[in-house]
Amino acid sequence: MTQDASSIIQSIDLTQVTAVARLTAGRDALQIRDWRVDPLGGGLGNPVSVGLYRFAGKARPTASRLPGRLC
């Protein structure tokens, strides 16, 4: 059974986003404050890909804010 893109994206939670952001930023103590997902396109008619999405948000490494994006 194949899931559609929206159900896959909706299943991604704060724990998963935090793990990827920490790895990408190289900061183990990074805390995500808020985040969103924006579709960038692609995936139409492709059974392998559900498209391309950007995860963007704000995080705090310690006391200062660190805005960022993951594509």
Side-chain angles (χ1 to χ4, degrees):
M1 178 183 277
T2 304
Q3 287 183 300
D4 67 355
S6 64
S7 65
I8 293 170
I9 296 301
Q10 289 175 8
S11 72
I12 297 171
D13 64 15
L14 179 62
T15 302
Q16 294 166 309
V17 171
T18 300
V20 173
R22 285 177 176 173
L23 183 63
T24 302
R27 297 180 183 210
D28 292 337
L30 190 88
Q31 295 178 342
I32 302 294
R33 294 297 179 194
D34 62 60
W35 62 284
R36 70 179 189 279
V37 180
D38 301 315
L40 298 178
L44 298 175
N46 184 345
V48 176
S49 171
V50 295
L52 183 61
Y53 294 83
R54 174 181 26 221
F55 290 75
K58 294 180 183 173
R60 287 185 185 237
T62 52
S64 61
R65 286 189 175 195
L66 177 69
R69 286 189 282 262
L70 301 172
C71 294

